[in-house]
Amino acid sequence: MTKEQSKVLIIYTGGTIGMIKDSESGALKPFDFAQLEKHIPEIGLLACQVDATSIAHPIDSSNMNIAEWKEIATIIKDSYDDYDGFVILHGSDTMAFTGAALSFMLQNLAKPVILTGSQLPIGVVRTDGKENIITALEIASDYDDGKPVVPEVAIYFEYHLYRANRTYKFNAEHFEAFRSPNYPPLAEAGVQIKYNRDYILPPSQGDLDVSLAMDNSVVVLTLFPGISQHIVEAALNFNDVQVVIMRTYGSGNAMTDSWFTEMVHEKIEGGLLIINVTQCRAGGVTQGRYATSTSLSKAGVISGGDMVIEAALAKTMHLLGKGIRGKDFAQAFRSNTCGEITV
Ligand code: ASP
């Protein structure tokens, strides 16, 4: 297949890229999708064919929820055979979470799913949105010898393409808003789009298998010097919570006070799953490197390795959604599903 024959579906979900100023309050709010096309006539000049659709109620991505993830995944599922690639327009605030969630929900993916957005609305003269959309469409439609160049869920933002489940939003102001600290960019866009082909997943074999169930019985507990016993106790004792993701220090270290280590031990004995993800935004957890993580490992805390918290959360919801618990959960969590962790 050539670029000219590729068909790409744009799925608009909201975000700054499609926002206008409310005439009364002056705040940015999502507008009707039809206006987005009006603002980017360049789409009509691309070699590939482009269609567009939208989720029922486009939102600021701070309102993104499991219902919208399911809606996006269902649109992809229903139109998978009709398109060669997908571009999801999404607010940048929670784009890394949605990208990670979709990477787990869209199992056996063999076509590009590229998320993009912008820091400035498309109607603003200095918008970063146009370049982001145009290049995302180019990437989503890129096929070599009939095979998609990027058959995975990725984020394109400000000249870089990243594996979505390796990213986080690190800058609220700069056009370059995303980082992928533990995995190299899949592509860099300059005069040409240069792909790092060795780092891109091969297309999956078999039929697309969309797993919509996401279970949010999870709590994130960020440790900090001075954290009180009550707070830790409350986080580990919420009703119906199956998993606690503990954001620890450095390479996975935590305080060694006996109240803390005993509580962690007791809760794990009682069936709670506790995951160790570092607060550092690069590198990962190596339990046992320092004495301050040895007790966690002895108690059965599951290491999150070099996963970013966004991916750890999405993977947890996905595994719980599939009904995976106990030792099976620990094993699945530590395994590589779609490039989210180095094993
Ligand atoms: N608040 C916006 C959103 O995430 C910011 C953006 O689009 O970049 O929807």
Side-chain angles (χ1 to χ4, degrees):
M1 184 186 331
T2 64
K3 240 184 203 172
E4 290 70 34
Q5 292 164 333
S6 289
K7 274 181 82 181
V8 178
L9 181 65
I10 294 180
I11 304 170
Y12 176 59
T13 71
T16 299
I17 199 159
M19 286 191 182
I20 45 162
K21 271 202 171 144
D22 184 83
S23 48
E24 278 168 28
S25 68
L28 288 172
K29 61 168 198 191
F31 67 48
D32 184 359
F33 179 65
Q35 296 188 40
L36 187 68
E37 292 177 300
K38 191 182 88 187
H39 283 294
I40 322 171
E42 291 89 342
I43 287 177
L45 303 174
L46 287 170
C48 58
Q49 284 185 56
V50 180
D51 288 338
T53 187
S54 157
I55 61 170
H57 303 289
I59 48 174
D60 183 303
S61 79
S62 305
N63 283 317
M64 192 49 66
N65 216 317
I66 291 174
E68 283 78 24
W69 291 345
K70 289 184 182 176
E71 198 177 343
I72 299 167
T74 304
I75 293 175
I76 293 175
K77 181 180 173 209
D78 293 347
S79 44
Y80 195 70
D81 292 340
D82 299 328
Y83 292 92
D84 305 296
F86 300 85
V87 168
I88 301 173
L89 304 183
H90 194 290
S92 60
D93 288 351
T94 61
M95 190 184 289
F97 292 88
T98 298
L102 291 174
S103 75
F104 296 109
M105 295 167 94
L106 304 173
Q107 293 170 24
N108 287 345
L109 184 68
K111 294 183 179 179
V113 174
I114 314 296
L115 292 107
T116 194
S118 67
Q119 295 277 60
L120 279 176
I122 208 81
V124 171
V125 180
R126 287 182 55 248
T127 186
D128 49 328
K130 279 194 188 182
E131 195 283 326
N132 283 348
I133 294 183
I134 300 291
T135 307
L137 284 167
E138 293 242 355
I139 293 169
S141 61
D142 224 349
Y143 273 64
D144 257 359
D145 284 337
K147 292 204 180 95
V149 179
V150 186
E152 56 173 295
V153 184
I155 287 182
Y156 179 76
F157 223 88
E158 192 65 4
Y159 307 117
H160 289 93
L161 183 75
Y162 298 115
R163 175 167 300 155
N165 58 31
R166 289 295 197 152
T167 63
Y168 71 97
K169 182 175 179 181
F170 87 103
N171 202 309
E173 212 165 288
H174 291 176
F175 287 150
E176 202 184 328
F178 288 89
R179 279 204 176 143
S180 167
N182 294 334
Y183 200 76
L186 304 181
E188 283 170 66
V191 175
Q192 285 175 339
I193 300 173
K194 285 200 177 137
Y195 293 103
N196 284 328
R197 289 175 195 260
D198 290 347
Y199 293 102
I200 299 174
L201 291 171
S204 296
Q205 305 297 319
D207 294 338
L208 178 75
D209 180 11
V210 180
S211 172
L212 293 179
M214 297 290 270
D215 181 337
N216 63 357
S217 322
V218 51
V219 160
V220 176
L221 171 67
T222 302
L223 300 185
F224 56 90
I227 192 168
S228 81
Q229 189 168 341
H230 301 306
I231 298 291
V232 177
E233 217 160 55
L236 299 190
N237 283 290
F238 276 120
N239 275 346
D240 301 331
V241 163
Q242 305 276 348
V243 176
V244 173
I245 301 181
M246 216 156 53
R247 301 189 74 197
T248 57
Y249 309 121
S251 55
N253 308 315
M255 58 272 196
T256 49
D257 304 65
S258 54
W259 65 262
F260 175 74
T261 50
E262 278 160 25
M263 202 188 299
V264 166
H265 184 82
E266 224 170 79
K267 290 307 296 179
I268 291 175
E269 290 277 286
L272 184 69
L273 293 156
I274 303 183
I275 293 168
N276 187 352
V277 172
T278 176
Q279 292 176 28
C280 293
R281 300 262 46 188
V285 167
T286 312
Q287 292 189 149
R289 177 181 290 173
Y290 289 88
T292 41
S293 65
T294 307
S295 62
L296 299 182
S297 137
K298 275 195 188 144
V301 170
I302 305 162
S303 167
D306 66 351
M307 247 185 284
V308 289
I309 181 74
E310 291 80 355
L313 262 166
K315 191 172 185 177
T316 298
M317 292 191 202
H318 168 70
L319 294 176
L320 290 178
K322 290 188 101 171
I324 300 173
R325 300 287 187 276
K327 285 213 164 60
D328 292 345
F329 181 99
Q331 205 196 333
F333 194 83
R334 286 290 304 138
S335 312
N336 175 25
T337 311
C338 43
E340 75 282 5
I341 187 171
T342 310
V343 288

